Structure formats: structure tokens, C-alpha cells
Amino acid sequence: MWAFLLIVGLFATTSQSLHVQRVQIQDHVAVGSTVVLTCEFDMENDELYSVKWYKSTHEFYRFLPKDIPKAHVYHVTGVNVDLSKSNDRMVTLNNVTFDSSGFYRCEVSAEAPSFHTAFAEGEITVFALPAQTVITGVKENYEMGDILKINCTSQRSRPAAMLAWTINHNKVSKDFINEFPVISDGTNLDTSTIGLEYPIVDENDIVNGEIVLRCTATIAPIYHQTVEERIVVAKRLAAVLESKETPIHVRTDQQNGNSSMSATWWITAALSLLVKLVQV
């Protein structure tokens, strides 16, 4: 993403003096990459004296067309200038780090007698995309009445990713979400985790025998990734057997006072015994 920034400061009153047309800066930059800062200006009737670049208030590059050499570099943390690819109109920064984030200003000055000065600036944010985003804690089998207890983790990014759950494409209520503190490691990278504890009690959550879980990791406006798990949910065996049981039929022998069961009773008894064995 590029930011085109117009002049934000001008020390001149005549229309024939120099002016900075724009500064072109890539506002979001991946750590370790190369960045080109461009300063477009028009001298009008003035003669160029100098072009200076600052990070915040610290000067790191100066171009003086009458000097030998013309370009000069000054040490500023996080700024690694490539002199071979820098001149009066652009500065190249190699291998940017998180310390490279900040405001950059181009300042152009004219020679005597006008000494006009104009400047423009823009901001760079250095980022690191997550190593991966994963869902953990998913079991192989679930039944109605179980509770989903799972986590979604976005690993080692800068800044930390924002995480969100959906169930069957619907946003999950905060009542079922556990938010954990962001963990930072020794390399300035952050790991974020969000938990989900969701009871499987609503049959409307189950579509074709499945619940579709999605976790989305976002670092606006540069990163958006969604990972998915499909949870297969079975009815509890006891409920299945209960639905298949047939009523018990009893035939009474009035002569001997004994009750005899029909064959159906034996089937039901066998099924009930099977349920008990499964539950054990």
C-alpha cells in the first residue's frame, strides 16, 4: 500500500519558489524488505542547495549537489541507507527492522538569496505476518451434550493478530469465548490466542451432521486469514436405542396368576443391557 503525501510545510510566500509536490512512501512494509522513499519537488526559479531526510527529528541522509561526495549518511537506529541507490530525488533503505517504523520527512532547501525551504512527510509501519494460524484441541468424536473446548492461535507476528470465531458462518457470542493475554517473545514477535467453550445442545447448529468452525486472524489492513475445522456430531447411543425401542406387550395367564412377556420384551431387555455395557 502506498501513501502519496502532499506538502505539509512551506516557508515561502511567492508562487515562483520551490515546492514539494509529494512524498511517496510505502506505509506498510514487511520486516527485512527494501523500501524506496521518493521526494518529488519543483525548484521553480530557485537553485537547489540541499535535500535532507529525517526519521522523526533525526537526520539520516543529506544530498548537497555542490559537495564531493554529494551524498552523506548519518547513523539513526533502524535506518540502513543504500547510497548506491540514493540521490536527490530518492533514498533506498535496505533490510528494514521494527525500529524502522516511524515518521519520515523530506526537506528541500534553496540556495541564496531566497533560502526557501519546503518539506513533506509520511509514516512507515514495519510488520511481520503470522508464522501460522491453527485451531487446536479438536477431538475425533463429539456427541450431543458435549462441550467444545478448543483454541485458535496466531503465531509470531507484529503486531499481534486479532482473532474471531464463527460457527456455521455466524459470529459467536462473547459468553462462549475465552481471550488470553498476548505473549511476546525475545524477537519482538507476538502470539495471540482465543478460546472457545461451546455446548453442543442445539440441533440447529448441526448441518448434515457437522458443525463448521472458523477462526479468522486479522492484522488490518494487510492480513486476513481464516482456518476451518469441521466437527462431526453423533447422537448419543442411549438416545438412538431409546428411539428404536418397541413397547412391552404383556400377556396375563389368569389361571396360574403368572405374567408372561412376549418376544418383544426380550429384544428390549437385550438392548437395555447393551446400553449399560456401553456406558460402563
Side-chain angles (χ1 to χ4, degrees), residues 37-242:
L37 314 178
T38 302
C39 186
E40 298 182 12
F41 56 89
D42 190 340
M43 295 303 301
E44 296 290 349
N45 295 327
D46 287 326
E47 182 181 357
L48 178 65
Y49 169 69
S50 69
V51 177
K52 299 178 182 179
W53 279 93
Y54 297 82
K55 180 178 183 289
S56 186
T57 60
H58 304 288
E59 182 182 359
F60 64 87
Y61 179 81
R62 180 182 299 183
F63 184 90
L64 300 169
K66 293 184 179 180
D67 275 14
I68 300 176
K70 297 179 180 181
H72 305 266
V73 174
Y74 306 96
H75 174 73
V76 173
T77 301
V79 180
N80 182 23
V81 177
D82 186 342
L83 269 176
S84 67
K85 298 180 180 178
S86 302
N87 53 40
D88 59 332
R89 301 283 174 168
M90 71 178 193
V91 176
T92 301
L93 307 182
N94 288 335
N95 193 29
V96 296
T97 68
F98 295 127
D99 290 329
S100 305
S101 295
F103 285 93
Y104 288 78
R105 183 171 83 252
C106 170
E107 182 180 283
V108 183
S109 298
E111 278 277 16
S114 71
F115 297 108
H116 292 147
T117 299
F119 66 88
E121 65 180 6
E123 184 179 12
I124 290 177
T125 299
V126 179
F127 66 86
L129 296 182
Q132 62 176 340
T133 300
V134 294
I135 296 174
T136 57
V138 178
K139 299 190 300 184
E140 291 186 6
N141 300 302
Y142 288 90
E143 295 181 343
M144 288 294 295
D146 287 346
I147 297 179
L148 280 171
K149 292 184 179 181
I150 57 179
N151 290 333
C152 176
T153 301
S154 180
Q155 299 175 352
R156 306 184 75 246
S157 68
R158 175 77 176 265
M162 301 295 294
L163 300 174
W165 285 108
T166 62
I167 294 179
N168 298 332
H169 307 286
N170 298 316
K171 186 177 180 180
V172 178
S173 169
K174 292 183 178 180
D175 296 337
F176 306 114
I177 291 176
N178 295 323
E179 295 185 359
F180 299 97
V182 172
I183 299 175
S184 299
D185 62 21
T187 60
N188 294 319
L189 296 176
D190 299 328
T191 295
S192 51
T193 300
I194 188 172
L196 177 66
E197 290 192 24
Y198 190 81
I200 308 175
V201 294
D202 188 350
E203 291 189 355
N204 293 324
D205 288 335
I206 305 172
V207 180
N208 297 325
E210 293 182 330
I211 296 177
V212 180
L213 302 173
R214 287 190 175 93
C215 176
T216 300
T218 304
I219 301 176
I222 55 176
Y223 179 80
H224 185 87
Q225 182 185 29
T226 298
V227 291
E228 178 182 297
E229 285 282 354
R230 291 180 176 267
I231 306 299
V232 178
V233 181
K235 293 183 178 180
R236 289 194 179 276
L237 180 58
V240 174
L241 294 177
E242 182 179 354

